[in-house]
Amino acid sequence: MAQDYYSTLGIPKTASAEEIKRAYRKLAHQYHPDKGEKGDAEKFKEVSEAYQVLSDPSKRSQYDQFGSAYNGARGQGGGPQGFSGFDFSQSMGGFEDAFDIFSDIFGGGAQSRSSRRERGVDLEMELYLSFEEAVFGVEREIQIEKKDTCLKCQGSGAEPGTKISTCPKCHGAGQIRTSRRTIFGQMSQVSTCDVCEGSGKTAETPCSECAGSGTKRRLKKLQIKIPAGVEDGQRIRVSGEGEVGYRGSAAGDLYIRLHVKSHKFFKREGEHIYSEIPISFYQAALGTKVMTETVDGEVELKIPGGTQSGKVFRLKDRGAAILNGSGRGDHFVTVRVVTPTKLNKKEKDYFKKMAEDKGEAVDIDDSLWAKFTG
Ligand SMILES: [Zn+2]
Ligand SMILES: [Zn+2]
Protein backbone atom coordinates (compact mmCIF):
# COMPACT_ATOMS: atom_id res chain seq x y z
CA MET A 1 0.00 0.00 0.00
CA ALA A 2 1.08 3.52 -0.65
CA GLN A 3 2.04 5.32 2.50
CA ASP A 4 0.42 8.38 3.97
CA TYR A 5 3.27 10.88 3.91
CA TYR A 6 1.89 12.94 6.76
CA SER A 7 1.57 10.02 9.13
CA THR A 8 4.96 8.70 7.97
CA LEU A 9 6.48 11.94 9.23
CA GLY A 10 4.08 12.08 12.19
CA ILE A 11 2.82 15.55 11.39
CA PRO A 12 -0.62 17.08 10.80
CA LYS A 13 -1.76 18.05 7.30
CA THR A 14 -1.46 21.67 8.33
CA ALA A 15 2.25 21.35 9.17
CA SER A 16 4.46 24.24 8.11
CA ALA A 17 7.56 23.82 5.96
CA GLU A 18 9.65 24.19 9.10
CA GLU A 19 7.73 21.46 10.93
CA ILE A 20 8.13 19.12 7.97
CA LYS A 21 11.85 19.68 7.89
CA ARG A 22 12.20 19.16 11.63
CA ALA A 23 10.17 15.93 11.58
CA TYR A 24 12.18 14.61 8.66
CA ARG A 25 15.56 15.38 10.25
CA LYS A 26 14.58 13.62 13.44
CA LEU A 27 13.28 10.47 11.72
CA ALA A 28 16.01 10.33 9.09
CA HIS A 29 18.55 10.44 11.89
CA GLN A 30 16.69 7.72 13.78
CA TYR A 31 16.37 5.29 10.84
CA HIS A 32 19.52 5.97 8.91
CA PRO A 33 20.83 2.68 7.43
CA ASP A 34 24.35 3.59 8.50
CA LYS A 35 23.32 2.75 12.02
CA GLY A 36 23.44 -0.96 11.14
CA GLU A 37 20.97 -3.02 13.15
CA LYS A 38 19.59 0.06 14.88
CA GLY A 39 18.75 1.69 11.55
CA ASP A 40 15.88 0.73 9.32
CA ALA A 41 16.48 1.04 5.58
CA GLU A 42 12.83 0.57 4.68
CA LYS A 43 11.61 3.20 7.14
CA PHE A 44 14.38 5.51 6.07
CA LYS A 45 13.26 5.18 2.45
CA GLU A 46 9.66 5.93 3.38
CA VAL A 47 10.62 8.96 5.39
CA SER A 48 12.81 10.26 2.58
CA GLU A 49 10.08 9.76 0.03
CA ALA A 50 7.56 11.55 2.24
CA TYR A 51 9.95 14.43 2.73
CA GLN A 52 10.74 14.67 -0.96
CA VAL A 53 7.08 15.24 -1.72
CA LEU A 54 5.99 17.35 1.23
CA SER A 55 8.99 19.66 1.13
CA ASP A 56 8.20 20.67 -2.45
CA PRO A 57 5.19 23.02 -2.44
CA SER A 58 3.93 21.99 -5.88
CA LYS A 59 4.34 18.27 -5.22
CA ARG A 60 2.73 18.72 -1.84
CA SER A 61 -0.33 20.42 -3.27
CA GLN A 62 -0.72 17.67 -5.86
CA TYR A 63 -0.36 15.10 -3.13
CA ASP A 64 -2.95 16.89 -0.99
CA GLN A 65 -5.28 16.89 -3.94
CA PHE A 66 -4.79 13.31 -5.04
CA GLY A 67 -3.99 11.73 -1.72
CA SER A 68 -2.03 8.57 -1.22
CA ALA A 69 -2.40 7.83 -4.91
CA TYR A 70 0.35 10.34 -5.58
CA ASN A 71 3.46 8.71 -6.95
CA GLY A 72 5.46 11.76 -7.80
CA ALA A 73 8.36 10.90 -5.58
CA ARG A 74 9.03 7.73 -7.49
CA GLY A 75 8.81 9.21 -10.95
CA GLN A 76 11.92 11.22 -10.42
CA GLY A 77 12.95 13.72 -13.01
CA GLY A 78 9.43 14.02 -14.33
CA GLY A 79 8.35 16.75 -12.02
CA PRO A 80 4.87 18.21 -12.05
CA GLN A 81 4.82 18.59 -15.82
CA GLY A 82 5.27 14.87 -16.34
CA PHE A 83 2.53 14.17 -13.90
CA SER A 84 -0.89 14.96 -15.15
CA GLY A 85 -2.67 14.35 -11.90
CA PHE A 86 -4.38 11.18 -12.92
CA ASP A 87 -3.50 8.55 -10.46
CA PHE A 88 -5.70 6.01 -8.79
CA SER A 89 -2.79 3.89 -7.88
CA GLN A 90 -2.69 2.28 -4.55
CA SER A 91 -1.04 -1.05 -4.79
CA MET A 92 2.68 -1.32 -4.94
CA GLY A 93 3.05 -4.99 -5.43
CA GLY A 94 -0.30 -5.81 -3.93
CA PHE A 95 -2.54 -7.92 -6.11
CA GLU A 96 -5.79 -7.76 -4.24
CA ASP A 97 -7.98 -5.67 -6.48
CA ALA A 98 -7.02 -5.28 -10.07
CA PHE A 99 -9.75 -2.72 -10.62
CA ASP A 100 -8.13 -0.34 -8.26
CA ILE A 101 -4.61 -0.53 -9.51
CA PHE A 102 -5.03 2.44 -11.69
CA SER A 103 -2.47 4.85 -12.28
CA ASP A 104 -1.45 7.87 -14.17
CA ILE A 105 -1.23 9.05 -17.68
CA PHE A 106 1.83 10.51 -19.21
CA GLY A 107 1.55 12.46 -22.40
CA GLY A 108 4.44 10.37 -23.67
CA GLY A 109 8.17 10.62 -23.30
CA ALA A 110 10.06 8.30 -21.06
CA GLN A 111 10.40 9.16 -17.44
CA SER A 112 13.83 8.81 -16.10
CA ARG A 113 13.42 6.65 -13.08
CA SER A 114 15.71 5.95 -10.24
CA SER A 115 16.82 2.44 -10.89
CA ARG A 116 17.39 0.85 -7.57
CA ARG A 117 18.73 -2.60 -8.04
CA GLU A 118 16.27 -4.37 -5.80
CA ARG A 119 13.18 -2.97 -7.43
CA GLY A 120 11.40 -5.09 -10.03
CA VAL A 121 11.68 -4.25 -13.69
CA ASP A 122 9.11 -1.99 -15.36
CA LEU A 123 7.19 -3.57 -18.20
CA GLU A 124 5.65 -1.94 -21.21
CA MET A 125 2.90 -3.11 -23.51
CA GLU A 126 0.75 -1.80 -26.32
CA LEU A 127 -3.03 -1.67 -26.26
CA TYR A 128 -5.32 -0.90 -29.17
CA LEU A 129 -8.60 0.88 -28.55
CA SER A 130 -11.47 1.76 -30.81
CA PHE A 131 -12.42 5.40 -31.20
CA GLU A 132 -15.45 4.90 -28.95
CA GLU A 133 -13.48 3.05 -26.26
CA ALA A 134 -11.14 6.02 -25.98
CA VAL A 135 -14.08 8.41 -25.78
CA PHE A 136 -16.03 6.52 -23.13
CA GLY A 137 -13.37 4.44 -21.39
CA VAL A 138 -13.35 0.68 -21.24
CA GLU A 139 -12.35 -2.25 -19.10
CA ARG A 140 -10.02 -4.74 -20.69
CA GLU A 141 -8.59 -8.01 -19.59
CA ILE A 142 -4.95 -8.24 -20.50
CA GLN A 143 -2.40 -10.99 -20.09
CA ILE A 144 1.23 -10.42 -19.32
CA GLU A 145 4.01 -12.88 -18.81
CA LYS A 146 6.23 -11.64 -16.06
CA LYS A 147 8.22 -12.45 -12.99
CA ASP A 148 5.64 -12.71 -10.26
CA THR A 149 5.82 -13.64 -6.60
CA CYS A 150 6.82 -17.27 -6.08
CA LEU A 151 3.77 -19.01 -4.66
CA LYS A 152 5.73 -21.65 -2.79
CA CYS A 153 7.74 -19.26 -0.62
CA GLN A 154 5.47 -16.21 -0.99
CA GLY A 155 8.43 -14.26 -2.26
CA SER A 156 10.65 -14.81 0.75
CA GLY A 157 13.10 -17.02 -1.17
CA ALA A 158 13.26 -19.50 1.71
CA GLU A 159 12.02 -23.08 1.54
CA PRO A 160 8.78 -23.11 3.59
CA GLY A 161 9.47 -24.11 7.18
CA THR A 162 13.10 -23.07 7.07
CA LYS A 163 14.64 -20.08 8.70
CA ILE A 164 15.21 -16.66 7.23
CA SER A 165 17.94 -14.74 8.94
CA THR A 166 19.30 -11.26 8.86
CA CYS A 167 21.92 -10.84 6.15
CA PRO A 168 25.34 -11.34 7.73
CA LYS A 169 27.03 -8.88 5.40
CA CYS A 170 24.80 -5.79 5.70
CA HIS A 171 23.13 -6.70 9.01
CA GLY A 172 19.71 -6.20 7.48
CA ALA A 173 20.24 -2.73 6.05
CA GLY A 174 20.37 -3.96 2.46
CA GLN A 175 23.11 -1.48 1.77
CA ILE A 176 26.84 -1.50 2.22
CA ARG A 177 28.89 1.55 2.89
CA THR A 178 32.45 1.32 1.74
CA SER A 179 35.05 3.85 2.72
CA ARG A 180 38.46 4.44 1.35
CA ARG A 181 41.15 6.92 2.06
CA THR A 182 42.12 9.24 -0.76
CA ILE A 183 44.32 12.30 -0.99
CA PHE A 184 41.13 14.35 -0.51
CA GLY A 185 40.34 12.54 2.69
CA GLN A 186 37.90 9.79 3.56
CA MET A 187 35.52 8.96 0.67
CA SER A 188 32.53 6.74 1.23
CA GLN A 189 30.04 5.16 -1.09
CA VAL A 190 26.74 3.39 -0.45
CA SER A 191 25.80 0.44 -2.61
CA THR A 192 23.21 -2.35 -2.56
CA CYS A 193 24.34 -5.38 -0.61
CA ASP A 194 25.42 -8.10 -3.04
CA VAL A 195 24.67 -10.97 -0.69
CA CYS A 196 20.97 -10.24 -0.09
CA GLU A 197 20.40 -8.00 -3.13
CA GLY A 198 19.13 -5.27 -0.84
CA SER A 199 16.51 -7.35 0.96
CA GLY A 200 18.46 -7.43 4.21
CA LYS A 201 17.63 -11.10 4.69
CA THR A 202 19.09 -14.42 3.60
CA ALA A 203 17.46 -17.82 3.41
CA GLU A 204 19.27 -20.72 5.06
CA THR A 205 17.60 -23.14 2.63
CA PRO A 206 16.69 -21.49 -0.65
CA CYS A 207 13.19 -22.20 -1.96
CA SER A 208 13.29 -25.19 -4.31
CA GLU A 209 10.74 -23.64 -6.64
CA CYS A 210 12.48 -20.31 -7.31
CA ALA A 211 16.06 -21.07 -6.22
CA GLY A 212 15.80 -18.40 -3.57
CA SER A 213 14.88 -15.46 -5.78
CA GLY A 214 11.31 -15.31 -4.50
CA THR A 215 10.09 -14.80 -8.04
CA LYS A 216 8.56 -17.06 -10.62
CA ARG A 217 7.79 -16.31 -14.25
CA ARG A 218 4.15 -16.82 -15.10
CA LEU A 219 1.24 -15.54 -17.11
CA LYS A 220 -0.93 -13.08 -15.26
CA LYS A 221 -4.35 -11.78 -16.20
CA LEU A 222 -5.19 -8.25 -15.22
CA GLN A 223 -8.40 -6.31 -15.47
CA ILE A 224 -7.43 -2.87 -16.71
CA LYS A 225 -9.72 0.10 -16.59
CA ILE A 226 -8.99 2.59 -19.32
CA PRO A 227 -10.42 5.94 -18.23
CA ALA A 228 -12.75 7.85 -20.53
CA GLY A 229 -11.09 10.53 -22.63
CA VAL A 230 -7.69 8.97 -23.28
CA GLU A 231 -5.92 9.79 -26.53
CA ASP A 232 -3.71 8.05 -29.01
CA GLY A 233 -0.10 7.81 -27.86
CA GLN A 234 -0.78 8.26 -24.16
CA ARG A 235 0.73 6.01 -21.59
CA ILE A 236 -0.96 4.59 -18.55
CA ARG A 237 0.96 3.43 -15.55
CA VAL A 238 -0.37 0.52 -13.59
CA SER A 239 1.51 0.79 -10.37
CA GLY A 240 3.13 -2.36 -9.03
CA GLU A 241 2.22 -4.57 -11.99
CA GLY A 242 5.68 -4.76 -13.49
CA GLU A 243 7.94 -7.60 -12.45
CA VAL A 244 8.28 -8.28 -8.76
CA GLY A 245 11.65 -7.57 -7.24
CA TYR A 246 14.15 -9.92 -5.72
CA ARG A 247 12.70 -11.67 -2.67
CA GLY A 248 9.50 -9.72 -2.39
CA SER A 249 11.00 -6.27 -2.74
CA ALA A 250 9.00 -3.60 -4.53
CA ALA A 251 7.58 -4.48 -7.92
CA GLY A 252 8.13 -2.40 -11.01
CA ASP A 253 5.29 -0.71 -12.84
CA LEU A 254 3.45 -1.71 -15.95
CA TYR A 255 3.20 0.93 -18.66
CA ILE A 256 0.49 0.59 -21.24
CA ARG A 257 0.85 2.62 -24.40
CA LEU A 258 -2.50 3.35 -25.98
CA HIS A 259 -3.21 3.32 -29.68
CA VAL A 260 -6.57 4.70 -30.71
CA LYS A 261 -7.86 3.56 -34.07
CA SER A 262 -9.13 6.25 -36.38
CA HIS A 263 -12.83 6.51 -37.13
CA LYS A 264 -14.57 6.41 -40.49
CA PHE A 265 -16.47 9.66 -39.93
CA PHE A 266 -15.13 11.28 -36.78
CA LYS A 267 -11.95 13.11 -35.99
CA ARG A 268 -10.92 14.00 -32.51
CA GLU A 269 -8.88 16.79 -30.97
CA GLY A 270 -8.69 16.60 -27.21
CA GLU A 271 -12.21 16.34 -25.90
CA HIS A 272 -13.86 17.63 -29.08
CA ILE A 273 -15.09 15.52 -31.96
CA TYR A 274 -15.46 16.76 -35.53
CA SER A 275 -17.45 15.46 -38.47
CA GLU A 276 -18.99 16.68 -41.70
CA ILE A 277 -22.48 16.30 -43.03
CA PRO A 278 -23.52 16.73 -46.66
CA ILE A 279 -26.80 18.51 -47.33
CA SER A 280 -28.37 19.36 -50.61
CA PHE A 281 -28.48 22.72 -52.22
CA TYR A 282 -32.23 22.91 -51.55
CA GLN A 283 -31.92 21.95 -47.91
CA ALA A 284 -29.29 24.62 -47.40
CA ALA A 285 -31.45 27.24 -49.03
CA LEU A 286 -34.72 26.37 -47.33
CA GLY A 287 -33.52 24.97 -44.00
CA THR A 288 -34.00 21.43 -42.75
CA LYS A 289 -33.65 18.95 -39.95
CA VAL A 290 -31.14 16.17 -40.49
CA MET A 291 -30.05 13.23 -38.40
CA THR A 292 -26.32 13.35 -37.83
CA GLU A 293 -24.13 10.62 -36.38
CA THR A 294 -22.45 11.19 -33.01
CA VAL A 295 -20.77 8.83 -30.54
CA ASP A 296 -24.11 8.75 -28.74
CA GLY A 297 -25.94 7.66 -31.89
CA GLU A 298 -27.97 9.81 -34.25
CA VAL A 299 -28.82 13.31 -33.11
CA GLU A 300 -31.16 15.76 -34.78
CA LEU A 301 -29.48 18.83 -36.19
CA LYS A 302 -31.55 21.86 -37.20
CA ILE A 303 -30.13 23.67 -40.19
CA PRO A 304 -31.63 27.10 -40.75
CA GLY A 305 -32.49 28.33 -44.23
CA GLY A 306 -29.67 30.16 -45.98
CA THR A 307 -26.91 28.03 -44.47
CA GLN A 308 -23.61 28.33 -46.35
CA SER A 309 -21.29 25.46 -47.08
CA GLY A 310 -18.60 25.24 -44.39
CA LYS A 311 -20.84 26.48 -41.60
CA VAL A 312 -20.07 24.74 -38.29
CA PHE A 313 -22.73 23.66 -35.83
CA ARG A 314 -22.01 22.71 -32.27
CA LEU A 315 -23.64 19.77 -30.53
CA LYS A 316 -22.93 20.51 -26.92
CA ASP A 317 -21.61 17.70 -24.66
CA ARG A 318 -21.51 15.14 -27.47
CA GLY A 319 -17.73 14.99 -27.50
CA ALA A 320 -15.29 12.80 -25.59
CA ALA A 321 -15.14 12.66 -21.82
CA ILE A 322 -12.68 15.14 -20.36
CA LEU A 323 -9.73 13.21 -18.98
CA ASN A 324 -8.98 14.12 -15.36
CA GLY A 325 -12.02 16.36 -15.32
CA SER A 326 -15.75 16.17 -15.44
CA GLY A 327 -18.15 16.51 -18.29
CA ARG A 328 -17.60 16.09 -21.98
CA GLY A 329 -16.38 18.06 -24.93
CA ASP A 330 -18.55 19.05 -27.88
CA HIS A 331 -19.18 17.62 -31.29
CA PHE A 332 -18.74 20.07 -34.19
CA VAL A 333 -20.52 19.34 -37.43
CA THR A 334 -19.38 21.10 -40.59
CA VAL A 335 -22.06 21.38 -43.23
CA ARG A 336 -21.06 20.67 -46.84
CA VAL A 337 -23.56 21.90 -49.36
CA VAL A 338 -23.63 19.56 -52.31
CA THR A 339 -24.28 21.23 -55.64
CA PRO A 340 -26.55 19.08 -57.78
CA THR A 341 -24.61 17.43 -60.58
CA LYS A 342 -27.31 15.92 -62.72
CA LEU A 343 -30.38 18.04 -63.35
CA ASN A 344 -33.25 16.82 -65.40
CA LYS A 345 -34.98 19.03 -67.94
CA LYS A 346 -37.65 20.16 -65.48
CA GLU A 347 -35.11 21.11 -62.78
CA LYS A 348 -33.00 23.00 -65.30
CA ASP A 349 -36.02 25.01 -66.32
CA TYR A 350 -36.78 25.86 -62.70
CA PHE A 351 -33.26 27.05 -62.05
CA LYS A 352 -33.10 29.05 -65.24
CA LYS A 353 -36.37 30.71 -64.38
CA MET A 354 -35.10 31.64 -60.90
CA ALA A 355 -31.83 32.94 -62.26
CA GLU A 356 -33.60 35.03 -64.89
CA ASP A 357 -35.80 36.54 -62.16
CA LYS A 358 -32.61 37.62 -60.36
CA GLY A 359 -31.06 38.86 -63.56
CA GLU A 360 -28.19 36.35 -63.40
CA ALA A 361 -26.67 34.91 -66.54
CA VAL A 362 -26.71 31.11 -66.48
CA ASP A 363 -27.44 29.98 -69.99
CA ILE A 364 -24.36 27.93 -70.66
CA ASP A 365 -24.29 25.83 -73.75
CA ASP A 366 -23.83 22.25 -72.57
CA SER A 367 -21.65 21.32 -75.50
CA LEU A 368 -19.42 24.32 -74.87
CA TRP A 369 -19.21 23.42 -71.18
CA ALA A 370 -18.19 19.91 -72.08
CA LYS A 371 -15.23 21.36 -74.00
CA PHE A 372 -14.05 23.22 -70.90
CA THR A 373 -14.32 20.38 -68.52
CA GLY A 374 -13.52 17.58 -70.89
ZN1 LIG B 1 10.12 -19.59 -3.96
ZN1 LIG C 1 22.77 -7.94 2.77
Side-chain angles (χ1 to χ4, degrees):
M1 287 297 285
Q3 52 168 330
D4 176 346
Y5 294 148
Y6 289 100
S7 60
T8 299
L9 294 181
I11 48 171
K13 286 210 161 161
T14 52
S16 68
E18 193 50 46
E19 285 167 336
I20 292 169
K21 197 188 266 178
R22 221 180 305 132
Y24 166 67
R25 285 218 181 114
K26 185 174 156 261
L27 293 169
H29 185 73
Q30 188 181 333
Y31 294 129
H32 202 284
D34 274 4
K35 299 183 117 185
E37 302 227 81
K38 270 190 243 156
D40 186 333
E42 196 50 43
K43 277 261 167 51
F44 180 73
K45 226 159 59 186
E46 283 177 39
V47 166
S48 304
E49 185 181 318
Y51 179 67
Q52 212 188 329
V53 172
L54 298 184
S55 62
D56 179 324
S58 76
K59 285 182 185 170
R60 184 183 178 183
S61 81
Q62 289 199 45
Y63 174 72
D64 287 344
Q65 208 179 337
F66 299 103
S68 60
Y70 182 68
N71 267 318
R74 294 174 58 227
Q76 280 163 5
Q81 67 274 31
F83 174 67
S84 67
F86 186 86
D87 198 329
F88 299 100
S89 138
Q90 27 196 316
S91 70
M92 293 231 331
F95 302 96
E96 50 299 325
D97 188 354
F99 282 90
D100 282 332
I101 52 182
F102 234 62
S103 227
D104 60 11
I105 304 270
F106 297 97
Q111 297 280 104
S112 67
R113 309 185 59 87
S114 66
S115 55
R116 291 196 303 267
R117 212 165 122 215
E118 72 271 30
R119 190 175 168 271
V121 173
D122 290 341
L123 296 175
E124 188 161 331
M125 66 172 289
E126 316 282 314
L127 193 66
Y128 290 83
L129 302 175
S130 72
F131 189 89
E132 287 83 358
E133 286 172 332
V135 165
F136 293 115
V138 66
E139 264 172 32
R140 277 285 188 82
E141 188 183 87
I142 58 164
Q143 285 197 351
I144 38 170
E145 201 205 311
K146 62 170 188 175
K147 265 189 205 168
D148 212 341
T149 307
C150 171
L151 296 175
K152 188 170 187 190
C153 64
Q154 300 298 324
S156 71
E159 185 71 10
T162 67
K163 242 182 93 186
I164 297 172
S165 43
T166 303
C167 173
K169 186 163 181 185
C170 65
H171 307 289
Q175 291 180 329
I176 301 286
R177 178 176 284 259
T178 45
S179 300
R180 63 199 165 90
R181 215 168 271 285
T182 71
I183 54 166
F184 305 110
Q186 186 92 348
M187 304 285 278
S188 57
Q189 195 187 4
V190 177
S191 54
T192 303
C193 173
D194 57 333
V195 171
C196 62
E197 300 265 0
S199 68
K201 296 181 180 80
T202 50
E204 279 175 10
T205 313
C207 167
S208 57
E209 182 74 22
C210 62
S213 69
T215 67
K216 191 79 192 164
R217 185 162 283 279
R218 81 170 78 87
L219 204 62
K220 183 168 182 185
K221 283 183 186 174
L222 285 174
Q223 202 73 21
I224 299 294
K225 194 173 170 190
I226 308 294
V230 294
E231 289 184 66
D232 188 53
Q234 278 180 325
R235 234 168 37 139
I236 280 178
R237 186 175 78 209
V238 187
S239 195
E241 288 298 347
E243 298 201 327
V244 301
Y246 187 80
R247 280 186 206 156
S249 62
D253 298 330
L254 170 64
Y255 288 89
I256 302 177
R257 189 172 291 281
L258 302 175
H259 299 276
V260 180
K261 290 177 197 155
S262 57
H263 193 277
K264 223 168 136 186
F265 308 118
F266 304 147
K267 289 230 168 358
R268 201 178 131 196
E269 266 171 47
E271 68 266 33
H272 298 313
I273 294 174
Y274 300 84
S275 68
E276 289 189 355
I277 188 167
I279 60 168
S280 78
F281 185 81
Y282 321 102
Q283 288 172 316
L286 300 170
T288 186
K289 284 177 190 170
V290 288
M291 298 306 284
T292 187
E293 200 62 47
T294 71
V295 288
D296 298 313
E298 286 197 329
V299 166
E300 190 181 80
L301 180 64
K302 284 197 187 88
I303 294 171
T307 291
Q308 302 295 321
S309 195
K311 167 98 176 150
V312 178
F313 291 89
R314 182 169 80 141
L315 297 167
K316 209 174 170 313
D317 299 332
R318 298 288 186 188
I322 296 168
L323 188 66
N324 302 335
S326 59
R328 290 172 63 179
D330 301 325
H331 184 134
F332 295 94
V333 182
T334 304
V335 163
R336 294 278 168 233
V337 176
V338 180
T339 305
T341 48
K342 283 194 180 104
L343 297 174
N344 60 31
K345 171 82 174 75
K346 194 176 157 192
E347 288 165 334
K348 272 187 189 167
D349 289 345
Y350 278 138
F351 282 171
K352 274 183 188 165
K353 174 80 176 70
M354 285 190 283
E356 277 165 22
D357 288 352
K358 297 249 176 202
E360 292 171 6
V362 289
D363 197 10
I364 291 171
D365 184 334
D366 279 349
S367 60
L368 191 68
W369 188 239
K371 262 189 208 165
F372 274 118
T373 56

